[in-house]
Amino acid sequence: MAAMDLKGRDFVRLSDFTAEEIDSILTLAFDMKREQRQWSLKGKTIILLFFNSSLRTRTSMEIGVAQLDANAVVLNVGQDAWNLEWREGVVMDGDSPEHIKDAAKVLSRYGDIIAVRSFPKLKDYAEDRADPVMSSFVKYATAPIINLESGVEHPCQGLADLMTLREVFSHNTRRKKVVLTWAPHVKPLPLAVPHSFALATALGGCDLTIACPQEFDLEPEVVKHAQETAAKNGGSVKIERDQAKAFKGAEVIYAKSWCSRQFYGRPAEEIAFRKTLPSWMVTEEKMATTSRAKFMHCLPIRRNVVATDAVLDDEDCVVYQQAENRLHAQKALLYKMLGS
Ligand code: CP
């Protein structure tokens, strides 16, 4: 298999891909964003399976598939499709009438790609870290799998984020000072987006600072992988506890709230602890200490909790550009996986 050939491969974690492979997807994404030319996947079918709500992922995938002249079949698990079991060897006398082992094999006979949006239960870290729903689909499907966000990664978001960084930095992201800052939120959220952003900046050779309280450190294996990948691509990844220090001279601020591994499975305790940290919200005053940084967030965002209206409504906020790039990046990914 040629290095850039994505056919037959799953797209589940950015950590499975080289900078050159990601570059080949984004090069096509930029062509697709710029040109009106028709890239056709006529006759192909993409099955989109959602275990939880989505605005951007669902619409950008469905519209992207339509623009490629392919067919999308969208299933909301538990509504249009049966609840799915992933545990091996269990007596299935509970709420889930179908096993992923069977569903994945059946859907593989209908679709050319199965794209899955799962959501971690946020109860047991070891279980969520193993990404059981996504791993089951990878294990049992014979069609390639795309991860539309799981407990561990959101690689399509990571692709769009790196595409946006390239636009912000005129295609040279190497050594750019990018800050991923933890931000307040009313409840614990998955680690997928910050993990994929750290890996995306590493693939782009950025100098990434992850600013967070120590209770919110990301998965150490992901940080280690990001550090090794960044080093290969001329960049670096470091952790900073002092948000003000991290912001000084930053060229991009990416805000995101994520859950604490320390409080995992104890949401009431984590929520109480979060209430002591409202000062981590991104404000206009903090943005003024940066090197006129662009503001990024994957959306959805709780205004005046994660970041103020003034930050979000400022001309240096690129969140809608980021959201648009989901469409171009995913179309390019689909074409790389299925196109001729
Ligand atoms: N950023 C993102 O994945 O948005 P949705 O949850 O709306 O799909």
Side-chain angles (χ1 to χ4, degrees), residues 158-193:
L159 270 186
D161 291 345
L162 184 53
M163 185 172 178
T164 309
L165 286 173
R166 288 197 180 176
E167 288 175 333
V168 164
F169 293 121
S170 308
H171 292 269
N172 183 10
T173 53
R174 188 163 291 190
R175 308 251 46 182
K176 298 299 182 193
K177 196 171 180 314
V178 175
V179 174
L180 168 63
T181 182
W182 183 86
H185 194 280
V186 295
K187 61 181 183 184
L189 295 175
L191 293 158
V193 168

Coordinates of all heavy atoms in Angstrom, one line a residue, residues 158-193:
G158 N -10.1 17.5 14.3 CA -8.7 17.8 14.2 C -8.2 18.2 12.8 O -7.4 19.1 12.7
L159 N -8.7 17.5 11.8 CA -8.4 17.8 10.4 C -8.8 19.3 10.1 O -8.1 20.0 9.5 CB -9.2 16.9 9.5 CG -8.6 15.6 9.0 CD1 -9.6 15.0 7.9 CD2 -7.2 15.8 8.4
A160 N -10.1 19.6 10.5 CA -10.6 21.0 10.2 C -9.8 22.0 11.0 O -9.6 23.1 10.5 CB -12.1 21.0 10.6
D161 N -9.4 21.6 12.2 CA -8.6 22.6 13.0 C -7.3 22.9 12.4 O -6.8 24.0 12.3 CB -8.5 22.0 14.4 CG -9.8 22.0 15.2 OD1 -10.8 22.7 14.8 OD2 -9.9 21.3 16.3
L162 N -6.6 21.8 11.9 CA -5.3 22.0 11.3 C -5.5 22.8 10.0 O -4.7 23.7 9.6 CB -4.6 20.7 11.0 CG -3.2 20.7 10.5 CD1 -2.3 21.6 11.3 CD2 -2.6 19.3 10.3
M163 N -6.6 22.5 9.2 CA -6.8 23.3 8.0 C -7.0 24.8 8.4 O -6.5 25.7 7.7 CB -8.1 22.8 7.4 CG -8.4 23.4 6.0 SD -9.8 22.5 5.2 CE -10.0 23.5 3.8
T164 N -7.7 25.1 9.4 CA -7.9 26.5 9.9 C -6.6 27.1 10.3 O -6.3 28.3 10.0 CB -8.9 26.5 11.0 OG1 -10.1 25.7 10.6 CG2 -9.4 27.9 11.3
L165 N -5.8 26.3 11.0 CA -4.5 26.9 11.4 C -3.6 27.2 10.2 O -2.9 28.3 10.1 CB -3.7 25.9 12.3 CG -4.2 25.7 13.7 CD1 -3.4 24.5 14.4 CD2 -4.0 26.9 14.6
R166 N -3.7 26.4 9.2 CA -3.0 26.7 7.9 C -3.5 28.0 7.3 O -2.7 28.7 6.7 CB -3.1 25.5 6.9 CG -2.3 24.3 7.4 CD -2.1 23.4 6.3 NE -1.3 22.3 6.8 CZ -1.0 21.2 6.0 NH1 -1.4 21.1 4.8 NH2 -0.3 20.2 6.5
E167 N -4.8 28.2 7.3 CA -5.3 29.4 6.7 C -4.8 30.6 7.6 O -4.4 31.6 7.0 CB -6.8 29.4 6.7 CG -7.3 28.4 5.6 CD -8.8 28.2 5.6 OE1 -9.5 28.4 6.7 OE2 -9.4 27.9 4.6
V168 N -4.9 30.5 8.9 CA -4.5 31.6 9.8 C -3.0 31.9 9.5 O -2.7 33.1 9.5 CB -4.7 31.2 11.2 CG1 -4.0 32.1 12.2 CG2 -6.2 31.1 11.6
F169 N -2.2 30.9 9.3 CA -0.7 31.1 9.2 C -0.2 31.0 7.8 O 1.0 30.7 7.6 CB 0.0 30.2 10.1 CG -0.2 30.4 11.6 CD1 -0.8 29.4 12.4 CD2 0.1 31.6 12.2 CE1 -1.0 29.6 13.7 CE2 -0.2 31.8 13.5 CZ -0.7 30.8 14.3
S170 N -1.1 31.3 6.8 CA -0.6 31.3 5.4 C 0.1 30.0 5.1 O 1.2 30.1 4.4 CB 0.2 32.5 5.1 OG -0.5 33.7 5.4
H171 N -0.4 28.9 5.5 CA 0.2 27.6 5.2 C 1.5 27.2 5.9 O 2.1 26.2 5.6 CB 0.2 27.3 3.7 CG -1.1 27.2 3.1 ND1 -1.8 26.1 3.0 CD2 -2.0 28.2 2.7 CE1 -3.0 26.3 2.5 NE2 -3.1 27.6 2.3
N172 N 2.0 28.1 6.8 CA 3.2 27.7 7.5 C 3.0 27.7 9.0 O 3.0 28.7 9.7 CB 4.4 28.7 7.2 CG 5.7 28.3 7.8 OD1 5.7 27.1 8.4 ND2 6.7 29.1 7.8
T173 N 2.6 26.5 9.5 CA 2.2 26.4 10.9 C 3.4 26.1 11.8 O 3.3 26.1 13.1 CB 1.1 25.3 11.1 OG1 1.6 24.1 10.5 CG2 -0.2 25.7 10.5
R174 N 4.5 25.8 11.2 CA 5.7 25.4 12.0 C 6.1 26.5 13.0 O 6.3 27.6 12.6 CB 6.9 25.0 11.1 CG 8.0 24.4 11.8 CD 9.0 23.7 10.9 NE 8.3 22.5 10.3 CZ 9.0 21.6 9.6 NH1 10.3 21.7 9.4 NH2 8.4 20.5 9.1
R175 N 6.3 26.1 14.3 CA 6.8 26.9 15.4 C 5.8 28.0 15.8 O 6.2 28.9 16.5 CB 8.2 27.5 15.1 CG 9.2 26.4 14.7 CD 10.2 26.1 15.6 NE 9.9 25.9 17.0 CZ 10.8 25.6 17.9 NH1 12.1 25.6 17.6 NH2 10.5 25.4 19.2
K176 N 4.6 28.0 15.2 CA 3.6 29.0 15.6 C 3.2 28.8 17.1 O 3.0 27.6 17.5 CB 2.4 29.0 14.7 CG 2.8 29.4 13.2 CD 3.4 30.7 13.1 CE 3.8 31.0 11.6 NZ 4.6 32.2 11.5
K177 N 3.0 29.9 17.8 CA 2.7 29.7 19.2 C 1.2 29.6 19.4 O 0.4 30.5 19.3 CB 3.2 31.0 19.9 CG 3.3 30.8 21.4 CD 4.1 32.0 22.1 CE 4.2 31.9 23.6 NZ 3.0 31.5 24.3
V178 N 0.8 28.3 19.7 CA -0.6 28.0 19.8 C -0.9 27.6 21.2 O -0.1 26.8 21.8 CB -1.0 26.8 18.8 CG1 -2.4 26.4 19.0 CG2 -0.7 27.3 17.4
V179 N -2.0 28.1 21.8 CA -2.3 27.7 23.2 C -3.7 27.0 23.2 O -4.7 27.5 22.6 CB -2.4 28.9 24.1 CG1 -2.9 28.6 25.5 CG2 -1.0 29.6 24.2
L180 N -3.7 25.8 23.8 CA -5.0 25.1 24.0 C -5.3 25.3 25.5 O -4.5 24.8 26.4 CB -4.8 23.6 23.7 CG -5.9 22.6 24.2 CD1 -7.2 22.9 23.6 CD2 -5.5 21.2 24.0
T181 N -6.3 26.1 25.8 CA -6.6 26.4 27.2 C -7.9 25.7 27.6 O -8.9 25.7 27.0 CB -6.7 27.9 27.4 OG1 -7.0 28.1 28.8 CG2 -7.9 28.5 26.7
W182 N -7.8 25.0 28.8 CA -8.9 24.5 29.5 C -9.8 25.7 29.8 O -9.4 26.8 30.1 CB -8.5 23.8 30.8 CG -9.7 23.1 31.5 CD1 -10.2 21.9 31.2 CD2 -10.5 23.7 32.5 NE1 -11.3 21.7 32.0 CE2 -11.5 22.8 32.8 CE3 -10.5 24.9 33.1 CZ2 -12.5 23.0 33.8 CZ3 -11.5 25.2 34.1 CH2 -12.5 24.2 34.4
A183 N -11.1 25.5 29.7 CA -12.1 26.6 30.0 C -13.2 26.0 30.9 O -13.5 24.8 30.9 CB -12.6 27.1 28.7
P184 N -13.9 26.9 31.6 CA -15.0 26.4 32.5 C -16.2 25.9 31.6 O -16.3 26.2 30.4 CB -15.4 27.7 33.2 CG -14.3 28.6 33.1 CD -13.7 28.3 31.8
H185 N -17.0 25.1 32.3 CA -18.3 24.6 31.6 C -19.1 24.1 32.8 O -18.6 23.7 33.8 CB -17.9 23.5 30.6 CG -19.0 23.1 29.7 ND1 -20.1 22.3 30.1 CD2 -19.3 23.5 28.4 CE1 -20.9 22.2 29.0 NE2 -20.5 22.9 28.0
V186 N -20.4 23.9 32.5 CA -21.3 23.5 33.6 C -21.1 22.0 34.0 O -21.6 21.6 35.0 CB -22.8 23.8 33.3 CG1 -23.0 25.3 33.3 CG2 -23.2 23.1 32.0
K187 N -20.5 21.2 33.0 CA -20.5 19.8 33.3 C -19.2 19.2 32.6 O -18.6 19.8 31.7 CB -21.7 19.1 32.8 CG -22.0 19.2 31.4 CD -23.3 18.5 31.0 CE -23.4 18.6 29.5 NZ -24.6 18.0 29.0
P188 N -18.8 18.0 33.1 CA -17.7 17.3 32.5 C -18.0 17.0 31.0 O -19.1 16.5 30.7 CB -17.5 16.0 33.3 CG -18.3 16.2 34.5 CD -19.4 17.2 34.2
L189 N -17.0 17.2 30.1 CA -17.1 16.9 28.7 C -15.9 15.9 28.3 O -14.9 15.9 29.0 CB -17.0 18.2 27.9 CG -18.1 19.2 28.1 CD1 -17.8 20.5 27.3 CD2 -19.5 18.6 27.6
P190 N -16.1 15.2 27.2 CA -15.1 14.3 26.7 C -13.7 14.9 26.4 O -13.6 16.1 26.2 CB -15.7 13.7 25.5 CG -17.1 13.9 25.6 CD -17.3 15.2 26.3
L191 N -12.7 14.0 26.3 CA -11.3 14.5 26.1 C -11.0 14.5 24.6 O -9.9 14.8 24.2 CB -10.4 13.5 26.8 CG -10.4 13.6 28.3 CD1 -9.9 12.3 28.9 CD2 -9.6 14.8 28.8
A192 N -12.0 14.1 23.8 CA -11.7 13.8 22.4 C -11.2 15.0 21.6 O -10.2 15.0 20.9 CB -13.0 13.3 21.7
V193 N -11.8 16.2 21.8 CA -11.4 17.4 21.0 C -10.0 17.9 21.4 O -9.2 18.1 20.5 CB -12.5 18.5 21.1 CG1 -12.0 19.8 20.5 CG2 -13.8 18.1 20.3

